[in-house]
Amino acid sequence: MEGTPPRILVALPAYQEERSIGGLVRSLRERFPYDVLVVNDGSKDGTSEASREAGATVLDLPCNLGIGGAVQTAFLYARDRGYDAVVRIDGDGQHEVEDIPKVLEPILAGRADAVIGSRFLGEMEYRVSIPRIFGIRFFRLLVNVTTGYRVTDPTSGFFAINRSLIEFYSHHYPSDYPEVDAYILMHRLKSRAVEVPVRMYERAEGKSSITAYRAVYYMVKVTLSFLINRIRRFG
Amino acid sequence: MNRVTLFSICASSALLLYTLEMVRRRKLREEYSILWLAGSVVILVLSLKQDWLVGIAHAAGIAYPPSFLFLIGILFILLILIHFSIAISKLHQMNKKMAQEIALMKGGIENGSLPRTGQPQERKEIIS
């Protein structure tokens, strides 16, 4: 990377986000020199058009794959085009774009393979509901006990990864609720993962992907695949 | 020959013939027919060979031999269902890869920079 600046891709998975995605892409492009990729996860609204108008590169999935499949598409794109780092943020404006350089810094400095933005490290701006805080505590314990990473925000979808993880995730990435699982994968790869404080907000538009009745499925599925990933072989 | 045995002979031969016919007409692929065929043959044989059934049932500690037939039937159904779950998972994975590939290719065409991956692959029959 001597001489040439690192190539950085900001990846936004988006499903039915036509109202927020355009503004988000524009604010990214105004602030940063990074390429912006929107992976439209089979939206039926104008997500794709809104992203294009705002100047993003858009990949349209022909059907809804779920968040993990969409994010993995961005990793495949980044791998094929030789990006040095991918920053993944939500397409709904929950993540503060101003914090992107903070998330990238340890990777560009070569101090980490993955940097995860935590909403709990800084001044607590994010109000979390009781069931959600229970889930986060549970996953925090699961990750800390089984991997040894000191994690405060295990479900954070605001993170950056370097080339080694781009390559690995383009082959192996969980299809839904991937964030907690990713810790086991990183642990298996002996990746250096660090958290940095970031700001997150309540959703401006649209609905969270986790509704009440899916919470139980979420807990069971993530715990199962987390534990299975510990004993799985990766070829 | 009691009625339950007669019934299981009829049902298992009907299943066997139906499965074979579906394979012959290519409505059922061979690999998905194997468990159905095996199940119906086992039940048919045990229905015809009463003394085998009684012998195995007693060895397994089952007092009423025909209920051993039901057990065999249930076990085959479970096997077939697991087989299907595995097949669905495989299809799910293939579907995901294909959707991702399509999105990447469409994106590449739009940007006029389709990454070339060498010679176009030889066409393979989708249903072989």
Side-chain angles (χ1 to χ4, degrees):
Chain A
M1 283 189 330
E2 288 294 316
T4 55
R7 297 183 62 219
I8 290 154
L9 181 71
V10 180
L12 304 111
Y15 177 66
Q16 314 279 60
E17 306 283 7
E18 65 177 0
R19 280 140 69 84
S20 57
I21 195 80
L24 185 56
V25 170
R26 264 185 286 274
S27 74
L28 284 166
R29 287 175 53 82
E30 280 162 18
R31 284 184 175 80
F32 307 112
Y34 315 139
D35 293 344
V36 179
L37 174 73
V38 172
V39 182
N40 168 29
D41 192 9
S43 304
K44 291 174 186 66
D45 64 359
T47 298
S48 180
E49 292 74 16
S51 312
R52 265 172 240 271
E53 272 167 33
T57 304
V58 180
L59 295 179
D60 290 300
L61 287 163
C63 53
N64 183 261
L65 289 187
I67 188 76
V71 173
Q72 192 182 38
T73 311
F75 297 150
L76 286 162
Y77 179 89
R79 184 197 63 181
D80 291 349
R81 315 263 161 159
Y83 281 95
D84 298 300
V86 174
V87 184
R88 173 254 191 264
I89 66 171
D90 275 359
D92 60 9
Q94 279 194 96
H95 299 151
E96 174 54 63
V97 296
E98 296 282 356
D99 289 337
I100 288 177
K102 266 204 282 185
V103 175
L104 269 173
E105 194 276 326
I107 285 184
L108 299 182
R111 284 188 281 112
D113 302 304
V115 183
I116 298 96
S118 167
R119 75 199 99 164
F120 302 121
L121 280 179
E123 65 280 25
M124 176 99 172
E125 276 182 50
Y126 197 82
R127 287 174 159 272
V128 187
S129 65
I130 303 278
R132 191 171 278 223
I133 200 78
F134 171 78
I136 287 168
R137 288 249 167 91
F138 173 76
F139 289 130
R140 198 185 279 175
L141 191 71
L142 190 70
V143 171
N144 290 354
V145 166
T146 52
T147 67
Y149 290 126
R150 308 312 303 168
V151 174
T152 60
D153 196 355
T155 61
S156 168
F158 188 173
F159 62 83
I161 55 172
N162 70 0
R163 287 191 78 154
S164 64
L165 278 171
I166 293 170
E167 175 67 31
F168 184 77
Y169 284 165
S170 61
H171 295 290
H172 305 286
Y173 201 64
S175 63
D176 49 1
Y177 314 128
E179 293 83 15
V180 180
D181 262 7
Y183 277 101
I184 275 288
L185 302 178
M186 291 190 288
H187 177 63
R188 296 285 300 266
L189 286 174
K190 300 186 171 63
S191 298
R192 297 160 299 161
V194 296
E195 279 188 334
V196 295
V198 294
R199 285 163 288 174
M200 296 192 195
Y201 306 106
E202 299 289 345
R203 294 177 61 91
E205 304 282 350
K207 282 189 304 233
S208 166
S209 60
I210 299 159
T211 52
Y213 66 94
R214 278 161 83 184
V216 173
Y217 169 74
Y218 179 101
M219 299 281 286
V220 172
K221 193 266 162 189
V222 170
T223 307
L224 175 71
S225 65
F226 188 85
L227 295 175
I228 284 187
N229 270 330
R230 269 185 74 83
I231 55 171
R232 183 175 273 161
R233 276 197 205 95
F234 295 101
Chain B
M1 183 179 290
N2 52 31
R3 272 183 289 173
V4 68
T5 314
L6 190 64
F7 176 76
S8 73
I9 290 171
C10 292
S12 53
S13 6
L15 179 63
L16 181 60
L17 292 175
Y18 181 71
T19 310
L20 285 173
E21 179 61 13
M22 285 298 113
V23 176
R24 193 184 68 82
R25 290 202 219 160
R26 294 201 174 83
K27 293 207 170 164
L28 176 59
R29 291 170 61 88
E30 285 84 346
E31 62 258 45
Y32 295 113
S33 72
I34 292 169
L35 280 171
W36 289 111
L37 294 172
S40 50
V41 166
V42 167
I43 292 173
L44 183 60
V45 167
L46 288 179
S47 308
L48 292 168
K49 292 280 186 185
Q50 287 286 302
D51 42 341
W52 293 8
L53 177 65
V54 173
I56 301 170
H58 282 307
I62 294 164
Y64 179 59
S67 66
F68 183 68
L69 285 181
F70 296 125
L71 178 65
I72 300 276
I74 289 168
L75 289 179
F76 267 104
I77 288 169
L78 284 178
L79 260 182
I80 290 165
L81 288 178
I82 290 171
H83 182 220
F84 283 168
S85 297
I86 293 168
I88 290 169
S89 302
K90 198 173 122 192
L91 290 173
H92 180 101
Q93 183 67 17
M94 285 161 61
N95 186 54
K96 185 182 92 173
K97 277 201 173 156
M98 240 179 303
Q100 290 176 334
E101 203 67 30
I102 288 170
L104 290 165
M105 282 170 68
K106 263 166 56 182
I109 292 167
E110 279 165 24
N111 303 326
S113 56
L114 192 61
R116 293 198 66 86
T117 50
Q119 293 294 313
Q121 295 210 326
E122 262 181 61
R123 269 186 65 188
K124 284 178 188 151
E125 287 290 316
I126 293 169
I127 300 164
S128 56

